[in-house]
Amino acid sequence: MANGSGSLVMALSDLRGGGAERVVVNLLNHWPSNKLRPILLLAEENGPYLNDLGSGIEVLSCGFPLTAAKTPKAMLCLRNLLRSVQPAAIFSHSITTSRMLTRARALGMISAPLIPVLHNNVGKSHQARQSLTDRIIRRELDWVYSKADRIVAVSKGIADEACGFFGIPQEKVETIYNPVDLSRITAGAEGYPRDHFVEHFKQLKRPVILSVGRLSEQKNHALLLEAYARIPGSLRGSLLILGEGEMKEALDSQALASGIDEEVFMPGFLNNPWWYMKHSDLYVMSSNWEGYPMVLLEALACDVPVIATDCQHGPSEIIQGEAFGTLVPIGNATALANAIAYRLADKQAQPKAEVRAFLSTYLPGLVAQRYIEAAARVQQ
């Protein structure tokens, strides 16, 4: 190895919750033994997923956010932290850390190979934002990805789009799908949640339709509410949406205006969504765009039927036609309502054996090994 080091760094802003954060925690908790020692590098050591991190994982932290105003201080901190471990490679799982690490490396403060990991739909994320600040960030990201030693995308769709959107050579990008911790999901599904909503859940009218995700434009829960309102009353039971976000007030108003407010429940972020998946009748994802939605894999692991919008990127790679669920066009409330009504009326069992065989390819230890192999390739 170029640095003669036995460590590999996973970098994030924090562990406040989200797909990328869950991915990193799953990888670190299932790291192959006798391999490169994993180290978690955080800007701030906080967030609910810290409680899920294994006790033996080494964590390095600057103790402050990596904002533009703190750029010199942040680069010095990153230099000092990384100098202490001399990693063989750094995988950066957030745009913020990728930008700051690239700046530090351009100034000779960091020497380790840098590999940004793309977790979301880069085109949708940047095309939707046109402020001066966003345009500056877009230009900087062009530079960040051009300077990267290699890039990891969490779906084939993201890999293809990144090449076109940022002009990245295809040979520089590889796809590594997100890990699914089946043992943890199973334990959560079979356990009992310790939250404020679980007793209320048991009183919900059946069937229960579940969706999990940030209440944001990307997740488009407004479409789900519109579709739910179109379902015949005889089929409707309850709609449960787990997550927090800036769209909460608007969604509450929409539910009230649609006359379904007494059937819609949004209790916020809950630590054990898998129990709710296991005990729901249908899982629905209504996103406008995604990267590679782990929540669909988690729902499949909980043996609940799934419906998803055929958005870019990820759902089609997971559902694979109709092998493991139903895909509907994005933004089409009628199609989504029809799919929900059909699935609620259809009592056909999930193909459990096929689902389990499919999910076994996502085991965290196997995915961690792919990251180790990617690190080895940049050393050659």
Coordinates of all heavy atoms in Angstrom, one line a residue, residues 111-205:
S111 N -2.6 13.5 2.1 CA -1.9 12.8 1.0 C -2.7 11.5 0.6 O -2.5 11.0 -0.5 CB -0.5 12.4 1.4 OG -0.5 11.6 2.5
A112 N -3.6 11.0 1.4 CA -4.3 9.8 1.2 C -5.2 9.9 0.0 O -5.8 11.0 -0.3 CB -5.0 9.3 2.4
P113 N -5.4 8.8 -0.8 CA -6.3 8.8 -1.9 C -7.7 9.2 -1.4 O -8.1 8.7 -0.3 CB -6.3 7.4 -2.4 CG -4.9 6.9 -2.0 CD -4.6 7.5 -0.7
L114 N -8.5 9.9 -2.1 CA -9.8 10.4 -1.7 C -10.8 9.8 -2.7 O -10.7 10.0 -3.9 CB -9.8 11.9 -1.7 CG -11.2 12.6 -1.3 CD1 -11.6 12.1 0.1 CD2 -11.1 14.1 -1.4
I115 N -11.9 9.2 -2.1 CA -12.9 8.5 -2.9 C -14.3 9.0 -2.5 O -14.8 8.5 -1.5 CB -12.8 7.0 -2.8 CG1 -11.4 6.5 -3.1 CG2 -13.9 6.4 -3.7 CD1 -11.2 5.0 -2.9
P116 N -14.9 10.0 -3.1 CA -16.2 10.5 -2.8 C -17.2 9.3 -3.1 O -17.1 8.6 -4.1 CB -16.5 11.7 -3.7 CG -15.1 12.1 -4.1 CD -14.3 10.9 -4.2
V117 N -18.2 9.2 -2.2 CA -19.3 8.3 -2.4 C -20.6 9.0 -2.7 O -21.0 9.9 -1.9 CB -19.5 7.4 -1.2 CG1 -20.6 6.3 -1.4 CG2 -18.2 6.7 -0.8
L118 N -21.2 8.8 -3.9 CA -22.4 9.5 -4.3 C -23.6 8.7 -3.8 O -23.9 7.5 -4.3 CB -22.4 9.6 -5.8 CG -21.3 10.4 -6.4 CD1 -21.4 10.5 -7.9 CD2 -21.1 11.8 -5.8
H119 N -24.4 9.2 -2.9 CA -25.6 8.6 -2.3 C -26.9 9.0 -2.9 O -27.9 8.4 -2.6 CB -25.6 8.8 -0.8 CG -24.6 8.0 0.0 ND1 -24.8 6.7 0.4 CD2 -23.3 8.2 0.3 CE1 -23.8 6.2 1.0 NE2 -22.8 7.1 1.0
N120 N -26.9 10.1 -3.7 CA -28.2 10.6 -4.1 C -28.1 11.0 -5.6 O -27.1 11.0 -6.2 CB -28.6 11.8 -3.3 CG -30.1 12.0 -3.1 OD1 -30.9 11.5 -3.9 ND2 -30.5 12.6 -2.0
N121 N -29.3 11.3 -6.1 CA -29.5 11.6 -7.5 C -28.8 13.0 -7.8 O -29.4 14.0 -7.4 CB -31.0 11.6 -7.8 CG -31.2 11.9 -9.3 OD1 -30.6 12.7 -9.9 ND2 -32.2 11.1 -9.9
V122 N -27.6 13.0 -8.3 CA -26.9 14.2 -8.4 C -27.5 15.3 -9.4 O -27.5 16.5 -9.1 CB -25.4 14.0 -8.9 CG1 -24.7 13.3 -7.8 CG2 -25.4 13.2 -10.2
G123 N -28.1 14.8 -10.4 CA -28.8 15.7 -11.4 C -30.0 16.4 -10.7 O -30.1 17.6 -10.8
K124 N -30.9 15.7 -10.1 CA -32.0 16.3 -9.5 C -31.6 17.2 -8.3 O -32.2 18.2 -8.1 CB -33.0 15.2 -8.9 CG -33.6 14.3 -10.0 CD -34.6 15.1 -10.8 CE -35.4 14.3 -11.8 NZ -36.3 15.0 -12.7
S125 N -30.6 16.7 -7.6 CA -30.2 17.5 -6.4 C -29.7 18.9 -6.8 O -29.9 19.9 -6.1 CB -29.1 16.8 -5.7 OG -29.6 15.5 -5.2
H126 N -29.0 19.0 -8.0 CA -28.4 20.3 -8.3 C -29.2 21.0 -9.4 O -29.2 22.3 -9.4 CB -27.0 20.0 -8.8 CG -26.1 19.4 -7.8 ND1 -25.6 20.2 -6.7 CD2 -25.6 18.2 -7.6 CE1 -24.9 19.4 -5.9 NE2 -24.9 18.2 -6.4
Q127 N -29.9 20.4 -10.2 CA -30.7 21.1 -11.2 C -31.9 21.8 -10.6 O -32.3 22.9 -11.0 CB -31.3 20.1 -12.3 CG -30.2 19.6 -13.2 CD -30.7 18.4 -14.1 OE1 -31.9 17.9 -13.9 NE2 -29.9 18.0 -15.0
A128 N -32.4 21.3 -9.4 CA -33.5 21.9 -8.7 C -33.1 23.2 -8.0 O -33.9 23.9 -7.5 CB -34.1 21.0 -7.8
R129 N -31.8 23.5 -7.9 CA -31.3 24.6 -7.1 C -30.6 25.6 -8.1 O -29.6 25.2 -8.7 CB -30.4 24.1 -6.0 CG -31.1 23.2 -5.1 CD -30.1 22.5 -4.1 NE -30.7 21.5 -3.3 CZ -30.0 20.6 -2.6 NH1 -28.7 20.6 -2.6 NH2 -30.7 19.8 -1.8
Q130 N -31.0 26.8 -8.1 CA -30.4 27.7 -9.0 C -29.9 29.0 -8.4 O -29.6 30.0 -9.1 CB -31.4 28.1 -10.1 CG -31.8 26.9 -11.0 CD -30.7 26.3 -11.8 OE1 -29.8 27.1 -12.2 NE2 -30.7 25.0 -12.0
S131 N -29.8 29.0 -7.1 CA -29.2 30.2 -6.4 C -27.7 30.4 -6.7 O -27.1 29.5 -7.2 CB -29.4 30.2 -4.9 OG -28.6 29.2 -4.3
L132 N -27.2 31.6 -6.4 CA -25.8 31.8 -6.7 C -24.9 30.9 -5.9 O -23.9 30.3 -6.4 CB -25.5 33.3 -6.3 CG -24.0 33.7 -6.5 CD1 -23.5 33.5 -7.9 CD2 -23.8 35.1 -6.0
T133 N -25.3 30.7 -4.6 CA -24.6 29.7 -3.8 C -24.6 28.3 -4.4 O -23.5 27.7 -4.4 CB -25.2 29.7 -2.4 OG1 -25.1 31.0 -1.8 CG2 -24.4 28.7 -1.5
D134 N -25.7 27.9 -4.8 CA -25.8 26.5 -5.4 C -25.0 26.4 -6.7 O -24.4 25.4 -6.9 CB -27.3 26.2 -5.7 CG -28.1 26.0 -4.4 OD1 -27.5 25.4 -3.5 OD2 -29.2 26.4 -4.4
R135 N -24.9 27.5 -7.5 CA -24.1 27.4 -8.7 C -22.6 27.4 -8.4 O -21.9 26.7 -9.1 CB -24.4 28.6 -9.6 CG -25.8 28.6 -10.2 CD -25.9 29.5 -11.4 NE -25.8 30.9 -11.0 CZ -26.8 31.7 -10.7 NH1 -28.0 31.3 -10.6 NH2 -26.5 33.0 -10.4
I136 N -22.3 28.1 -7.3 CA -20.9 28.0 -6.9 C -20.5 26.6 -6.4 O -19.4 26.1 -6.7 CB -20.6 29.0 -5.8 CG1 -20.7 30.5 -6.3 CG2 -19.2 28.8 -5.1 CD1 -20.7 31.5 -5.3
I137 N -21.4 26.0 -5.6 CA -21.2 24.6 -5.1 C -21.1 23.7 -6.3 O -20.2 22.8 -6.3 CB -22.3 24.2 -4.2 CG1 -22.3 25.0 -2.9 CG2 -22.3 22.7 -3.9 CD1 -23.4 24.8 -1.9
R138 N -21.9 23.9 -7.3 CA -21.9 23.0 -8.5 C -20.5 23.1 -9.2 O -19.9 22.0 -9.5 CB -23.0 23.3 -9.5 CG -22.8 22.8 -10.9 CD -22.9 21.3 -10.9 NE -22.4 20.8 -12.2 CZ -23.0 20.8 -13.3 NH1 -24.2 21.2 -13.5 NH2 -22.3 20.3 -14.4
R139 N -20.0 24.3 -9.3 CA -18.7 24.4 -9.9 C -17.6 23.8 -9.1 O -16.7 23.1 -9.6 CB -18.4 25.9 -10.1 CG -19.1 26.6 -11.3 CD -18.7 28.0 -11.5 NE -19.3 28.6 -12.7 CZ -18.7 28.5 -13.9 NH1 -17.6 27.8 -14.1 NH2 -19.3 29.1 -14.9
E140 N -17.7 23.9 -7.8 CA -16.8 23.3 -6.9 C -16.8 21.8 -7.0 O -15.8 21.1 -7.0 CB -16.9 23.7 -5.5 CG -15.8 23.2 -4.6 CD -15.9 23.8 -3.2 OE1 -16.9 24.2 -2.7 OE2 -14.8 23.7 -2.5
L141 N -18.0 21.2 -7.1 CA -18.2 19.8 -7.2 C -17.6 19.3 -8.5 O -17.0 18.2 -8.5 CB -19.7 19.4 -7.1 CG -20.3 19.5 -5.7 CD1 -21.8 19.2 -5.7 CD2 -19.5 18.7 -4.7
D142 N -17.7 20.0 -9.6 CA -17.0 19.6 -10.8 C -15.5 19.4 -10.5 O -14.9 18.5 -11.0 CB -17.2 20.7 -11.9 CG -18.6 20.7 -12.5 OD1 -19.3 19.7 -12.4 OD2 -19.0 21.8 -13.0
W143 N -15.0 20.4 -9.8 CA -13.6 20.3 -9.4 C -13.3 19.1 -8.5 O -12.3 18.4 -8.7 CB -13.2 21.6 -8.8 CG -11.8 21.7 -8.2 CD1 -10.6 21.7 -8.9 CD2 -11.4 21.7 -6.8 NE1 -9.5 21.7 -8.0 CE2 -10.0 21.7 -6.8 CE3 -12.2 21.8 -5.7 CZ2 -9.4 21.8 -5.5 CZ3 -11.5 21.8 -4.4 CH2 -10.1 21.8 -4.4
V144 N -14.1 19.0 -7.5 CA -14.0 17.9 -6.5 C -13.9 16.5 -7.2 O -13.0 15.7 -6.9 CB -15.1 17.9 -5.4 CG1 -15.1 16.6 -4.6 CG2 -14.9 19.1 -4.5
Y145 N -14.9 16.3 -8.1 CA -14.9 14.9 -8.7 C -13.8 14.8 -9.7 O -13.4 13.6 -10.0 CB -16.3 14.7 -9.3 CG -17.4 14.7 -8.2 CD1 -18.6 15.4 -8.5 CD2 -17.2 14.1 -7.0 CE1 -19.6 15.5 -7.5 CE2 -18.2 14.1 -6.1 CZ -19.4 14.8 -6.3 OH -20.4 14.9 -5.3
S146 N -13.4 15.8 -10.3 CA -12.2 15.7 -11.3 C -10.9 15.4 -10.5 O -10.0 14.8 -11.1 CB -12.1 17.0 -12.1 OG -11.6 18.1 -11.2
K147 N -10.8 15.8 -9.3 CA -9.6 15.6 -8.5 C -9.7 14.3 -7.7 O -8.6 13.8 -7.2 CB -9.4 16.7 -7.5 CG -9.1 18.1 -8.1 CD -7.9 18.0 -9.0 CE -7.6 19.4 -9.6 NZ -6.4 19.4 -10.5
A148 N -10.8 13.6 -7.6 CA -10.9 12.4 -6.9 C -10.1 11.3 -7.5 O -10.0 11.2 -8.7 CB -12.4 12.0 -6.8
D149 N -9.6 10.4 -6.7 CA -8.8 9.2 -7.2 C -9.8 8.2 -7.8 O -9.4 7.5 -8.8 CB -8.0 8.6 -6.1 CG -6.9 9.5 -5.6 OD1 -5.9 9.6 -6.2 OD2 -7.2 10.3 -4.6
R150 N -10.9 8.1 -7.3 CA -12.0 7.2 -7.7 C -13.3 7.6 -7.2 O -13.3 8.4 -6.2 CB -11.6 5.7 -7.4 CG -12.4 4.7 -8.1 CD -11.8 3.3 -8.0 NE -12.5 2.3 -8.8 CZ -12.3 2.1 -10.1 NH1 -11.4 2.8 -10.7 NH2 -12.9 1.2 -10.7
I151 N -14.4 7.2 -7.7 CA -15.7 7.6 -7.2 C -16.6 6.3 -7.1 O -16.6 5.5 -7.9 CB -16.4 8.6 -8.1 CG1 -15.6 9.9 -8.1 CG2 -17.8 8.8 -7.7 CD1 -16.1 10.9 -9.2
V152 N -17.3 6.3 -6.0 CA -18.2 5.2 -5.7 C -19.6 5.7 -5.9 O -19.9 6.7 -5.3 CB -18.0 4.5 -4.4 CG1 -19.2 3.6 -4.0 CG2 -16.7 3.7 -4.3
A153 N -20.5 5.0 -6.6 CA -21.9 5.3 -6.7 C -22.7 4.2 -6.1 O -22.3 3.0 -6.2 CB -22.3 5.6 -8.1
V154 N -23.8 4.5 -5.4 CA -24.5 3.4 -4.7 C -25.6 2.8 -5.6 O -26.3 1.9 -5.1 CB -25.1 3.9 -3.4 CG1 -24.1 4.4 -2.4 CG2 -26.2 5.0 -3.6
S155 N -25.7 3.2 -6.8 CA -26.5 2.5 -7.8 C -26.0 2.7 -9.2 O -25.2 3.6 -9.4 CB -28.0 3.0 -7.7 OG -28.1 4.3 -8.3
K156 N -26.4 1.8 -10.1 CA -25.9 2.0 -11.5 C -26.4 3.3 -12.1 O -25.8 3.9 -12.9 CB -26.3 0.7 -12.3 CG -25.6 -0.5 -11.9 CD -26.1 -1.7 -12.7 CE -25.4 -3.0 -12.2 NZ -25.9 -4.2 -12.9
G157 N -27.7 3.6 -11.7 CA -28.3 4.8 -12.3 C -27.5 6.1 -11.9 O -27.2 7.0 -12.7
I158 N -27.1 6.1 -10.6 CA -26.3 7.3 -10.1 C -24.9 7.3 -10.9 O -24.4 8.3 -11.2 CB -26.0 7.2 -8.6 CG1 -27.3 7.6 -7.9 CG2 -24.9 8.2 -8.2 CD1 -27.2 7.6 -6.4
A159 N -24.3 6.1 -11.0 CA -23.0 6.1 -11.7 C -23.1 6.6 -13.1 O -22.3 7.4 -13.6 CB -22.5 4.6 -11.7
D160 N -24.1 6.2 -13.9 CA -24.3 6.7 -15.2 C -24.6 8.2 -15.3 O -24.0 8.9 -16.1 CB -25.5 5.9 -15.9 CG -25.1 4.4 -16.2 OD1 -23.9 4.1 -16.1 OD2 -26.1 3.7 -16.3
E161 N -25.4 8.6 -14.4 CA -25.8 10.0 -14.4 C -24.6 10.9 -14.0 O -24.4 12.0 -14.5 CB -26.9 10.3 -13.4 CG -27.4 11.7 -13.4 CD -28.5 12.0 -12.4 OE1 -28.3 11.6 -11.2 OE2 -29.5 12.6 -12.8
A162 N -23.8 10.5 -13.0 CA -22.6 11.2 -12.6 C -21.7 11.4 -13.7 O -21.1 12.5 -13.9 CB -22.0 10.5 -11.4
C163 N -21.5 10.4 -14.5 CA -20.6 10.5 -15.7 C -21.1 11.5 -16.6 O -20.3 12.4 -17.1 CB -20.5 9.1 -16.4 SG -19.6 7.9 -15.4
G164 N -22.4 11.6 -16.9 CA -22.9 12.5 -17.8 C -23.0 13.9 -17.3 O -22.7 14.9 -17.9
F165 N -23.4 14.0 -16.0 CA -23.7 15.4 -15.4 C -22.4 16.1 -15.1 O -22.3 17.3 -15.3 CB -24.5 15.2 -14.1 CG -25.1 16.4 -13.6 CD1 -26.2 17.1 -14.2 CD2 -24.5 17.0 -12.5 CE1 -26.7 18.2 -13.7 CE2 -25.1 18.2 -11.9 CZ -26.2 18.8 -12.6
F166 N -21.4 15.3 -14.6 CA -20.2 16.0 -14.2 C -19.0 15.7 -15.1 O -17.9 16.2 -14.9 CB -19.7 15.5 -12.8 CG -20.6 16.0 -11.7 CD1 -21.5 15.1 -11.0 CD2 -20.6 17.3 -11.3 CE1 -22.3 15.6 -10.0 CE2 -21.4 17.8 -10.3 CZ -22.2 16.9 -9.6
G167 N -19.3 14.9 -16.2 CA -18.3 14.6 -17.1 C -17.2 13.7 -16.6 O -16.0 13.8 -17.0
I168 N -17.5 12.8 -15.7 CA -16.6 11.9 -15.1 C -16.3 10.7 -16.0 O -17.3 10.1 -16.5 CB -17.1 11.4 -13.7 CG1 -17.4 12.6 -12.8 CG2 -16.0 10.5 -13.1 CD1 -18.1 12.2 -11.6
P169 N -15.1 10.3 -16.3 CA -14.9 9.1 -17.1 C -15.5 7.9 -16.5 O -15.4 7.7 -15.3 CB -13.3 9.0 -17.2 CG -12.8 10.4 -16.8 CD -13.8 11.0 -15.9
Q170 N -16.1 7.1 -17.3 CA -16.8 5.9 -16.7 C -15.8 5.0 -16.0 O -16.2 4.3 -15.0 CB -17.5 5.1 -17.9 CG -18.7 5.8 -18.4 CD -19.5 5.0 -19.4 OE1 -19.0 4.0 -19.9 NE2 -20.7 5.3 -19.6
E171 N -14.6 4.9 -16.4 CA -13.7 4.0 -15.8 C -13.3 4.4 -14.4 O -12.7 3.7 -13.6 CB -12.4 3.8 -16.7 CG -11.6 5.1 -16.9 CD -12.1 5.8 -18.1 OE1 -13.2 5.5 -18.6 OE2 -11.3 6.7 -18.6
K172 N -13.6 5.7 -14.1 CA -13.3 6.2 -12.8 C -14.4 5.9 -11.7 O -14.2 6.2 -10.5 CB -13.1 7.7 -12.9 CG -12.4 8.4 -11.7 CD -12.2 9.9 -12.0 CE -11.5 10.6 -10.8 NZ -11.2 12.0 -11.2
V173 N -15.5 5.5 -12.2 CA -16.7 5.3 -11.3 C -17.0 3.8 -11.2 O -17.0 3.1 -12.2 CB -17.9 6.1 -11.8 CG1 -19.1 5.9 -10.8 CG2 -17.6 7.5 -12.0
E174 N -17.3 3.4 -9.9 CA -17.8 2.0 -9.8 C -19.0 2.0 -8.9 O -19.2 2.9 -8.0 CB -16.7 1.1 -9.2 CG -16.2 1.4 -7.8 CD -15.2 0.4 -7.3 OE1 -15.5 -0.8 -7.1 OE2 -14.0 0.8 -7.2
T175 N -19.8 1.0 -9.0 CA -21.1 0.9 -8.2 C -20.9 -0.1 -7.1 O -20.4 -1.2 -7.3 CB -22.2 0.4 -9.1 OG1 -22.4 1.4 -10.2 CG2 -23.5 0.3 -8.3
I176 N -21.2 0.4 -5.9 CA -21.2 -0.5 -4.7 C -22.5 -0.3 -4.1 O -22.8 0.8 -3.5 CB -20.0 -0.2 -3.7 CG1 -18.7 -0.4 -4.4 CG2 -20.1 -1.2 -2.5 CD1 -17.5 -0.1 -3.5
Y177 N -23.4 -1.3 -4.1 CA -24.7 -1.2 -3.5 C -24.6 -1.1 -2.0 O -23.7 -1.6 -1.4 CB -25.6 -2.4 -3.9 CG -26.1 -2.3 -5.3 CD1 -25.8 -3.4 -6.2 CD2 -26.7 -1.3 -5.9 CE1 -26.2 -3.4 -7.5 CE2 -27.2 -1.2 -7.2 CZ -26.9 -2.3 -8.0 OH -27.3 -2.3 -9.3
N178 N -25.6 -0.4 -1.4 CA -25.7 -0.2 0.0 C -25.9 -1.5 0.8 O -26.6 -2.4 0.3 CB -26.8 0.7 0.4 CG -26.5 2.2 0.0 OD1 -25.4 2.6 -0.1 ND2 -27.6 2.9 -0.2
P179 N -25.3 -1.7 2.0 CA -25.5 -2.9 2.8 C -26.9 -2.9 3.5 O -27.5 -1.9 3.8 CB -24.4 -2.8 3.8 CG -24.2 -1.3 4.0 CD -24.5 -0.7 2.6
V180 N -27.3 -4.1 3.7 CA -28.6 -4.3 4.5 C -28.3 -5.2 5.6 O -27.9 -6.4 5.4 CB -29.7 -4.9 3.6 CG1 -31.0 -5.1 4.4 CG2 -29.9 -4.0 2.4
D181 N -28.4 -4.7 6.8 CA -28.1 -5.5 8.0 C -29.4 -6.3 8.4 O -30.2 -5.9 9.2 CB -27.8 -4.5 9.2 CG -27.3 -5.3 10.4 OD1 -27.4 -6.5 10.5 OD2 -26.7 -4.6 11.3
L182 N -29.4 -7.5 7.8 CA -30.6 -8.4 8.0 C -30.8 -8.8 9.5 O -31.9 -8.8 9.9 CB -30.5 -9.6 7.1 CG -30.6 -9.4 5.6 CD1 -30.4 -10.7 4.9 CD2 -31.9 -8.7 5.2
S183 N -29.7 -9.0 10.2 CA -29.8 -9.4 11.6 C -30.4 -8.3 12.4 O -31.3 -8.6 13.3 CB -28.5 -9.9 12.1 OG -27.5 -8.8 12.0
R184 N -30.0 -7.1 12.2 CA -30.5 -6.0 12.9 C -32.0 -5.7 12.6 O -32.8 -5.4 13.5 CB -29.7 -4.7 12.7 CG -30.2 -3.5 13.4 CD -29.3 -2.3 13.2 NE -29.8 -1.1 13.8 CZ -29.8 -0.8 15.0 NH1 -29.3 -1.6 15.9 NH2 -30.4 0.4 15.5
I185 N -32.3 -5.7 11.3 CA -33.7 -5.5 10.9 C -34.6 -6.6 11.5 O -35.7 -6.3 12.0 CB -33.8 -5.5 9.3 CG1 -33.0 -4.3 8.8 CG2 -35.2 -5.5 8.9 CD1 -32.8 -4.3 7.3
T186 N -34.2 -7.8 11.4 CA -35.0 -8.9 12.0 C -35.2 -8.7 13.5 O -36.3 -8.9 14.0 CB -34.3 -10.3 11.7 OG1 -34.2 -10.5 10.3 CG2 -35.1 -11.4 12.3
A187 N -34.1 -8.3 14.2 CA -34.2 -8.1 15.6 C -35.2 -7.0 15.9 O -36.0 -7.0 16.8 CB -32.8 -7.8 16.2
G188 N -35.1 -5.9 15.1 CA -36.0 -4.8 15.3 C -37.4 -5.1 15.0 O -38.3 -4.7 15.7
A189 N -37.6 -5.9 13.9 CA -39.0 -6.3 13.6 C -39.6 -7.2 14.6 O -40.9 -7.1 14.8 CB -39.0 -7.0 12.2
E190 N -38.8 -8.0 15.2 CA -39.3 -8.9 16.2 C -39.3 -8.4 17.6 O -40.0 -8.9 18.5 CB -38.5 -10.2 16.2 CG -38.7 -11.0 14.9 CD -37.8 -12.2 14.8 OE1 -37.0 -12.4 15.8 OE2 -38.0 -13.0 13.9
G191 N -38.6 -7.3 17.8 CA -38.6 -6.6 19.1 C -39.8 -5.8 19.3 O -40.8 -5.8 18.6
Y192 N -39.8 -4.9 20.4 CA -40.9 -4.0 20.7 C -40.4 -2.6 20.8 O -39.5 -2.4 21.6 CB -41.6 -4.5 21.9 CG -43.0 -3.9 22.1 CD1 -44.1 -4.3 21.3 CD2 -43.2 -2.8 23.0 CE1 -45.3 -3.7 21.5 CE2 -44.4 -2.3 23.2 CZ -45.5 -2.7 22.4 OH -46.7 -2.1 22.5
P193 N -40.9 -1.7 20.0 CA -40.4 -0.3 20.1 C -40.6 0.4 21.4 O -41.6 0.1 22.1 CB -41.2 0.4 19.0 CG -41.8 -0.7 18.1 CD -42.0 -1.8 19.0
R194 N -39.7 1.2 21.8 CA -39.8 2.0 23.0 C -40.0 3.5 22.5 O -39.1 4.3 22.6 CB -38.6 1.9 23.9 CG -38.4 0.4 24.4 CD -37.1 0.4 25.2 NE -36.9 -1.0 25.7 CZ -35.8 -1.4 26.4 NH1 -34.9 -0.5 26.8 NH2 -35.7 -2.6 26.8
D195 N -41.2 3.8 22.0 CA -41.4 5.1 21.6 C -42.9 5.5 22.0 O -43.6 4.7 22.5 CB -41.2 5.3 20.1 CG -42.1 4.3 19.2 OD1 -43.3 4.4 19.4 OD2 -41.5 3.6 18.4
H196 N -43.2 6.8 21.7 CA -44.5 7.3 22.1 C -45.7 6.9 21.3 O -46.8 7.1 21.6 CB -44.4 8.9 22.0 CG -44.2 9.4 20.6 ND1 -43.0 9.4 20.0 CD2 -45.1 9.9 19.8 CE1 -43.2 9.9 18.8 NE2 -44.4 10.2 18.6
F197 N -45.4 6.2 20.1 CA -46.5 5.9 19.2 C -46.9 4.5 19.2 O -48.0 4.2 18.7 CB -46.1 6.4 17.8 CG -47.2 6.3 16.8 CD1 -48.2 7.3 16.8 CD2 -47.3 5.4 15.8 CE1 -49.2 7.3 15.9 CE2 -48.3 5.4 14.9 CZ -49.3 6.3 14.9
V198 N -46.1 3.6 19.7 CA -46.4 2.2 19.5 C -47.8 1.7 20.0 O -48.5 0.9 19.4 CB -45.3 1.3 20.1 CG1 -45.2 1.5 21.6 CG2 -45.5 -0.2 19.8
E199 N -48.2 2.2 21.2 CA -49.5 1.8 21.7 C -50.6 2.4 20.8 O -51.6 1.7 20.6 CB -49.6 2.3 23.1 CG -48.7 1.6 24.1 CD -48.9 0.1 24.2 OE1 -50.1 -0.3 24.1 OE2 -47.9 -0.6 24.2
H200 N -50.4 3.6 20.3 CA -51.4 4.1 19.4 C -51.5 3.3 18.1 O -52.6 3.2 17.6 CB -51.1 5.6 19.1 CG -52.2 6.3 18.4 ND1 -53.4 6.7 19.0 CD2 -52.3 6.8 17.1 CE1 -54.2 7.3 18.2 NE2 -53.5 7.4 17.0
F201 N -50.4 2.9 17.6 CA -50.3 2.1 16.4 C -51.2 0.9 16.5 O -51.9 0.5 15.5 CB -48.9 1.7 16.1 CG -48.8 0.8 14.9 CD1 -48.6 1.4 13.6 CD2 -48.8 -0.6 15.0 CE1 -48.5 0.6 12.5 CE2 -48.7 -1.4 13.8 CZ -48.5 -0.8 12.6
K202 N -51.2 0.2 17.6 CA -52.0 -1.0 17.7 C -53.5 -0.7 17.6 O -54.3 -1.7 17.4 CB -51.7 -1.7 19.1 CG -50.3 -2.2 19.1 CD -50.0 -3.1 20.3 CE -50.0 -2.2 21.6 NZ -49.5 -3.1 22.8
Q203 N -53.9 0.5 17.8 CA -55.4 0.9 17.7 C -55.7 1.4 16.3 O -56.9 1.7 16.1 CB -55.7 2.0 18.7 CG -55.3 1.7 20.1 CD -55.9 0.4 20.7 OE1 -57.1 0.1 20.4 NE2 -55.1 -0.4 21.4
L204 N -54.8 1.5 15.4 CA -55.1 2.0 14.1 C -56.0 1.1 13.3 O -55.9 -0.1 13.4 CB -53.8 2.2 13.3 CG -52.8 3.3 13.7 CD1 -51.6 3.4 12.8 CD2 -53.4 4.6 14.0
K205 N -56.9 1.7 12.5 CA -57.8 1.0 11.6 C -56.9 0.3 10.5 O -56.0 0.9 10.0 CB -58.8 1.9 11.0 CG -59.8 1.2 10.1 CD -60.8 2.2 9.5 CE -61.7 1.5 8.5 NZ -62.6 2.5 7.9

